[in-house]
Amino acid sequence: LLMLSVGLAGKGDQGMQNPGGLGDRPVSFHFLERSVMLPKAVKRRVHALKRLQVQCANIEAKFYEEVHELERKYAALYQPLFDKRRDIVTGAVEPTDEECEWHSDREEEEELAEEVKEKATIEDAKKEEATPEEDPKGIPEFWLTIFKSVDMLSDMLQEHDEPILKHLKDIQVKFSEPGEPMSFTLEFHFEPNGYFNNAVLTKVYKMKSEPDSSDPFSFEGPEIIDCEGCQIDWHKGKDVTVKTIKKKQKHKGRGTVRTVTKQVPNDSFFNFFNPQVAPDSLYQIDEDSEFTLATDFEIGHFFRERIVPRAVLYFTGEALEDDESFEEEELEEGDEEVILCSLTNTPFDQKCQKAVC
């Protein structure tokens, strides 16, 4: 199955442990060479160690199951805070002066040059005289701003999506209940709008937290193995995931021309809720579809681990600066990765035909 590792070690990181989790691990030439050279008695003991390693992997799987339960438990503790965030964003609740106090505001004011502050005061006074000050409701376009700021999301965003996402009130993460197969659900809550009837759009990510019997040593924690969207009840003529095109057809015999109208798929963020079905085997999927599924899994993980818990920091851009700093450090630490041929120990050439490479 196409999988994306979302183990504890990758929690909070934009990158994945095993993006796409694609394909079986190739047998190392060095492993084969070392295995051949080992005495029979030593090989026997190595087999015993491998059996122990499989038992360790099974214990690790239980550990991650308990981590999932802890996440579910603490999600319930976070939720009242996220509900308050939603109420402030939508304007349902006005925070008190005490709740609005933030130390950095005072620090920034102290750093401003006196003449700059005076100039700003004069300009504000002129604006107030010209037009009455407007107090917008809540924090307008909160989620849309986040979508447009994060590269991973803005790549999916189209201009015709933006008016719809202005109606997005909240994004929530729900974890599967005890006894149910491991999964998490992204819930996108919308206010009443002129585009569709759904109050909530959902995307379920199904997970697996057990070693693969055919390759138990590859286990690195829970993996997303599939996802399931939802049906959007679009208002007539408002479905942005399709577009209408007109084509002219010429009759072969009579030579008459007619115009045919048909609907074709259209790029849109809302295609996110109609994902491609993960195949049972990688042999059933082409390279483009493989990439699409892996990207979908990564986006789901990013919503869960980064966007929902730290939404305000993506709105202000502070989280983006943190992500950029991390990426820059990664680039500075290592030069361009070079893959060496296991036979010749020279840089791997894509044209090399040796199977063990």
Side-chain angles (χ1 to χ4, degrees), residues 12-15 85 142-143 145-147 149-151 153 302-303 305-328:
D13 292 339
Q14 184 168 349
R85 177 180 72 186
F142 179 79
W143 292 103
T145 301
I146 294 172
F147 273 63
S149 302
V150 177
D151 289 343
L153 303 182
F302 192 71
F303 268 117
E305 297 293 340
R306 305 284 285 179
I307 298 295
V308 173
R310 310 180 72 203
V312 66
L313 300 181
Y314 281 96
F315 177 80
T316 61
E318 292 164 272
L320 296 172
E321 293 174 4
D322 291 342
D323 291 343
E324 288 169 2
S325 298
F326 176 79
E327 290 171 4
E328 288 172 3

Side-chain angles (χ1 to χ4, degrees), residues 13-298:
D13 292 339
Q14 184 168 349
M16 300 291 106
Q17 285 185 29
N18 180 26
L22 308 178
D24 295 329
R25 295 183 305 171
V27 177
S28 167
F29 175 76
H30 298 295
F31 163 74
L32 292 174
E33 185 180 40
R34 189 175 296 125
S35 180
V36 170
M37 294 176 62
L38 291 175
K40 187 175 180 180
V42 175
K43 285 184 189 178
R44 181 173 173 275
R45 294 168 195 139
V46 169
H47 293 162
L49 294 185
K50 285 191 171 183
R51 288 177 63 88
L52 293 175
Q53 190 64 43
V54 171
Q55 293 178 47
C56 288
N58 289 326
I59 292 174
E60 187 180 7
K62 294 294 182 185
F63 164 75
Y64 281 114
E65 287 177 8
E66 293 194 21
V67 168
H68 184 75
E69 288 305 307
L70 272 176
E71 285 186 307
R72 192 179 62 82
K73 172 186 174 182
Y74 277 88
L77 301 179
Y78 288 130
Q79 197 54 51
L81 302 177
F82 292 156
D83 289 343
K84 185 69 176 288
R85 177 180 72 186
R86 176 202 61 211
D87 291 343
I88 293 174
V89 166
T90 60
V93 167
E94 183 62 35
T96 64
D97 291 342
E98 183 180 356
E99 290 173 328
C100 293
E101 283 187 6
W102 187 249
H103 61 87
S104 67
D105 291 340
R106 288 193 294 270
E107 292 172 358
E108 289 172 3
E109 287 176 7
E110 291 171 0
E111 293 173 1
L112 286 174
E114 194 65 36
E115 59 271 18
V116 174
K117 285 196 292 184
E118 290 177 4
K119 183 178 179 181
T121 302
I122 294 170
E123 289 180 356
D124 288 343
K126 289 180 179 178
K127 288 180 181 179
E128 287 179 8
E129 290 176 5
T131 56
E133 183 180 356
E134 293 184 8
D135 186 6
K137 183 181 179 182
I139 304 178
E141 302 182 13
F142 179 79
W143 292 103
L144 175 58
T145 301
I146 294 172
F147 273 63
K148 293 168 74 172
S149 302
V150 177
D151 289 343
M152 188 182 295
L153 303 182
S154 64
D155 288 344
M156 300 191 296
L157 193 64
Q158 305 298 320
E159 189 175 347
H160 47 254
D161 295 326
E162 295 186 16
I164 308 175
L165 288 171
K166 289 180 181 180
H167 297 283
L168 181 58
K169 297 191 300 182
D170 198 17
I171 305 175
Q172 298 181 12
V173 180
K174 303 292 184 183
F175 294 93
S176 54
E177 295 294 327
E180 295 180 353
M182 186 182 292
S183 68
F184 67 91
T185 302
L186 299 177
E187 295 183 349
F188 295 74
H189 294 252
F190 287 83
E191 63 188 12
N193 60 80
Y195 297 92
F196 47 73
N197 293 318
N198 312 63
V200 182
L201 300 181
T202 60
K203 183 78 169 282
V204 180
Y205 286 89
K206 302 173 185 179
M207 303 171 71
K208 173 187 174 184
S209 183
E210 59 186 28
D212 190 327
S213 58
S214 64
D215 188 15
F217 306 130
S218 67
F219 181 71
E220 294 183 346
E223 298 167 313
I224 297 174
I225 57 173
D226 200 4
C227 57
E228 185 178 303
C230 66
Q231 184 72 35
I232 302 179
D233 184 15
W234 293 100
H235 293 172
K236 186 176 180 180
K238 297 294 185 178
D239 186 351
V240 295
T241 64
V242 295
K243 61 183 177 181
T244 302
I245 63 171
K246 294 181 179 181
K247 296 183 70 175
K248 291 185 177 181
Q249 295 181 343
K250 187 175 182 179
H251 193 280
K252 290 182 179 179
R254 295 191 296 267
T256 55
V257 178
R258 66 172 182 173
T259 300
V260 178
T261 301
K262 67 175 184 177
Q263 287 190 329
V264 296
N266 192 30
D267 289 339
S268 169
F269 163 73
F270 291 91
N271 289 320
F272 180 70
F273 300 99
N274 184 29
Q276 185 170 337
V277 177
D280 293 331
S281 170
L282 283 174
Y283 297 108
Q284 302 173 3
I285 188 171
D286 58 49
E287 188 175 339
D288 289 342
S289 299
E290 184 180 289
F291 176 78
T292 299
L293 275 172
T295 302
D296 192 318
F297 292 174
E298 187 171 2

